[in-house]
Amino acid sequence: MMSTPPARVRAHDLVFEEMLTEAQIRARVEAMGRQIAADYGGKRPVVLSVLNGSFIFTADLMRACPIECEVSFVKVASYAGQSSTGKVRQLLGLDESLRGRHVIIAEDIVDSGFTMQWLLREVRRMEPASLALAVLLLKPEALQVEVSIDYLGFEIPNAFVIGYGLDYDGLGRNLPAIYRKCDG
Ligand code: IMP
């Protein structure tokens, strides 16, 4: 049987090929939501969504989590173009209301790990009752600091990816699947 080549898309000057299909992502995110529901029943957790990239992951994760839960947003940035700058800049503040709450950070992707290292430290200062991290994508080869992930979607190769909320200079967030940059 002939296998069909992965679908390709263009964003700005780059071409990307499909790496994770919509169905694969849906199945994994639904399993993560069920796991969180099993772990947090009765605790009314706050899902802290890291904007911009995590807005689609957060929406799907929460709809797959059939318990009482709330959502809050923080906007951080450390990326310029295709590479992490290492410096994390907070753009939209954290809320004191996280104090005493069960907080689950929802992040689209961990690359160098600097963003999550910084955000975990900031959220801990708010003295939550507990703190966990749900991450859709992890690039193990790119990690530069240790980040402890409680709920992980997929480990992926060290490639630049777009889709399902992730962008390349603003484009690609609305793609329903995840695409990796083609070499060359
Ligand atoms: P880190 O601080 O290097 O772990 O980078 C984390 C942030 O960089 C994520 O929240 C994303 O916004 C962005 N990022 C990392 N890798 C990619 C990628 O492959 N495509 C798009 N954005 C990425």
Side-chain angles (χ1 to χ4, degrees), residues 17 22 28 42 69 71 81 84 108 133 139 171 174 176 180:
E17 66 180 17
E22 206 178 338
R28 191 69 200 108
C69 56
V71 69
S84 189
D108 51 358
L133 181 54
K139 298 180 190 171
L171 295 184
N174 56 332
R180 60 176 288 171

Side-chain angles (χ1 to χ4, degrees), residues 50 53 78-79 84 88 107-116 139 156 159-162 166-168:
V50 187
S78 70
Y79 239 69
S84 189
V88 180
E107 171 68 318
D108 51 358
I109 189 163
V110 170
D111 182 271
S112 67
F114 287 122
T115 304
M116 275 311 102
K139 298 180 190 171
I156 62 167
F160 187 73
V161 296
I162 61 169
L166 289 149
D167 75 311
Y168 168 42

Side-chain angles (χ1 to χ4, degrees), residues 14 31 37-38 64 73 81 151 162 177:
L14 298 179
F73 296 93
Y151 306 94
I162 61 169

Side-chain angles (χ1 to χ4, degrees), residues 61-164:
L61 186 67
M62 288 193 69
R63 282 180 293 184
C65 185
I67 58 167
E68 282 193 343
C69 56
E70 298 176 24
V71 69
S72 187
F73 296 93
V74 63
K75 185 164 181 171
V76 301
S78 70
Y79 239 69
Q82 297 172 54
S83 59
S84 189
T85 61
K87 287 195 209 88
V88 180
R89 290 173 293 130
Q90 182 181 354
L91 302 178
L92 202 144
L94 279 175
D95 202 311
E96 272 295 310
S97 64
L98 296 182
R99 189 177 307 279
R101 300 297 305 273
H102 294 283
V103 177
I104 304 167
I105 295 175
E107 171 68 318
D108 51 358
I109 189 163
V110 170
D111 182 271
S112 67
F114 287 122
T115 304
M116 275 311 102
Q117 185 189 50
W118 173 83
L119 187 61
L120 286 163
R121 199 185 315 128
E122 292 294 312
V123 175
R124 262 188 217 109
R125 292 210 323 223
M126 306 284 172
E127 300 178 354
S130 69
L131 180 56
L133 181 54
V135 172
L136 182 66
L137 305 174
L138 170 69
K139 298 180 190 171
E141 293 157 38
L143 263 185
Q144 295 191 42
V145 290
E146 210 180 294
V147 177
S148 162
I149 297 173
D150 302 276
Y151 306 94
L152 177 64
F154 303 90
E155 289 194 355
I156 62 167
N158 195 5
F160 187 73
V161 296
I162 61 169
Y164 198 72

